[in-house]
Amino acid sequence: MTTGLPDEPVYDIAQLGHTELLSPVYEESLRFFVDVYGLDLVAEEGGSAYLRGWGDTELTTLKLTPSEQAGLGHVGWRAVSPQALDRRVAALREGGLEGEWIDGDVGHGKAYRFRAPSGQLMEVYYESEKYRATGDKKPYLPNQPQAEIRRGVGAQRIDHLNILAQDVRGTREILARTLGFKLREYLVPPGKGEVGAWLSLMNKAHDLAITREEAPVSGRLHHVAYAVENREDVLRAADTFIQLGQPIEFGPAKHSRTQGFFLYVLEPGGNRIEVFSGGIHIYAPDWEAVRWTTEAGGRSTAWGLDVPPTFHGHATPVLS
């Protein structure tokens, strides 16, 4: 099987740095992310809010922007060095993903913006502002960026996102060649093409998932996920959501791919948000991508919980 990965693995991109979510009900979405999901509000500038999880080392990992429709504004990937950034920009241009430089935004410096083959706006950057805790937010352990938050769910750190693409394989092969994503698992049901791929930059189960877009559109978002420390925190999140009047779409349960423990809700603007814990870690440099042909043993999830129709049918922007 041709993976689309370069002959020599590329480790120029370190992490998922941030995402921007668009919301048609900005104030309601902001209240959700602060009071229910448990993120900290860092700043409001230019009409947008900048937020972070208590375990994020970056100043901000979520930008929330008012818009007529929900969806993904952009996603930012952080390079490991200025030289790595230059190499990836050259690779993007060589791969036909022409873009433009922007001066930066709250929390990070100059970035090269481009559109992925699937239509989502992405950027790569290096210069980033670290979060410096003060007052009652200073942790007692110096290797934590901030004292733990127990407001709402208490989302800890940004983990991954899932985007939709009409050509899953083509999209992930281009992102592998240009940015260095490593294919970890992929789904090819009998008689169909590739409908899902799970990719990571370093040793996580995934930083990016790509799933099949069935509609004749591009650029849509399936979900953004923040991690919590353990499964018990996902279960506590379920209780918290219900207590605070937030309906649960799917979970808690265990994924077949990635083996992560999960819970999904739709925030007030309509974007799907995940609470995620665990997931496999990959240390072997010669990891062989796992090919799935069906859900595990014919089950929809690792333990057999069925997937609700909305999970495959809803993405943002919502189609009229």
Side-chain angles (χ1 to χ4, degrees):
M1 192 275 294
T2 301
T3 64
L5 294 172
D7 293 335
E8 180 69 17
V10 174
Y11 293 98
D12 279 349
I13 303 296
Q15 65 185 125
L16 169 61
H18 59 268
T19 64
E20 179 186 18
L21 292 180
L22 309 178
S23 173
V25 288
Y26 171 79
E27 294 294 343
E28 293 177 42
S29 292
L30 182 56
R31 284 194 296 271
F32 166 86
F33 283 113
V34 173
D35 297 333
V36 180
Y37 206 46
L39 300 182
D40 265 1
L41 177 62
V42 175
E44 284 190 270
E45 292 188 18
S48 297
Y50 297 82
L51 305 104
R52 63 184 303 280
W54 66 267
D56 284 320
T57 57
E58 306 296 290
L59 178 66
T60 175
T61 54
L62 177 63
K63 180 178 180 179
L64 181 67
T65 300
S67 178
E68 292 184 0
Q69 291 183 306
L72 181 68
H74 76 278
V75 53
W77 306 101
R78 191 179 182 214
V80 301
S81 69
Q83 296 83 1
L85 174 60
D86 290 340
R87 287 193 295 268
R88 289 308 99 208
V89 171
L92 287 165
R93 287 173 167 165
E94 184 179 346
L97 299 180
E98 289 287 347
E100 62 180 1
W101 287 98
I102 64 167
D103 291 336
D105 201 350
V106 173
H108 73 84
K110 68 175 185 177
Y112 184 79
R113 280 198 169 179
F114 64 97
R115 286 207 178 270
S118 47
Q120 291 82 8
L121 187 63
M122 296 187 175
E123 66 185 25
V124 289
Y125 65 99
Y126 170 69
E127 296 173 355
S128 181
E129 183 176 351
K130 294 289 187 293
Y131 176 75
R132 306 297 182 189
T134 58
D136 61 0
K137 292 184 178 180
K138 291 192 69 173
Y140 76 95
L141 293 175
N143 56 0
Q144 283 184 222
Q146 180 181 338
E148 183 175 355
I149 290 176
R150 283 295 175 179
R151 181 181 62 251
V153 168
Q156 181 180 6
R157 58 173 175 78
I158 195 168
D159 191 81
H160 67 269
L161 80 158
N162 183 318
I163 61 173
L164 300 187
Q166 292 186 11
D167 180 3
V168 172
R169 177 170 173 171
T171 298
R172 54 99 168 160
E173 287 183 345
I174 290 175
L175 293 179
R177 288 194 299 269
T178 57
L179 296 184
F181 280 97
K182 289 83 183 169
L183 179 64
R184 304 309 192 183
E185 304 180 79
Y186 64 110
L187 175 60
V188 185
K192 296 184 179 180
E194 190 169 306
V195 301
W198 291 260
L199 308 100
S200 67
L201 294 161
M202 297 294 180
N203 68 346
K204 288 168 55 182
H206 66 326
D207 294 284
L208 175 67
I210 307 172
T211 48
R212 173 76 63 84
E213 172 64 85
E214 300 295 344
V217 296
S218 62
R220 294 209 295 165
L221 171 72
H222 190 270
H223 70 265
V224 170
Y226 275 67
V228 290
E229 286 192 298
N230 53 56
R231 289 182 181 182
E232 186 63 34
D233 288 326
V234 179
L235 297 176
R236 189 183 71 83
D239 286 333
T240 300
F241 282 137
I242 296 301
Q243 182 67 40
L244 297 179
Q246 172 65 54
I248 293 171
E249 181 197 25
F250 186 20
K254 180 180 177 179
H255 284 302
S256 298
R257 266 85 52 192
T258 76
Q259 298 185 40
F261 205 60
F262 70 87
L263 177 63
Y264 294 95
V265 299
L266 301 181
E267 57 89 16
N271 296 298
R272 180 180 288 105
I273 307 298
E274 183 181 10
V275 181
F276 182 86
S277 177
I280 56 176
H281 283 76
I282 296 165
Y283 300 104
D286 56 352
W287 172 270
E288 295 182 8
V290 177
R291 177 187 173 107
W292 295 79
T293 55
T294 64
E295 304 286 355
R299 296 167 294 185
S300 297
T301 56
W303 298 332
L305 180 68
D306 285 337
V307 178
T310 56
F311 194 71
H312 291 309
H314 177 87
T316 50
V318 176
L319 301 179
S320 59

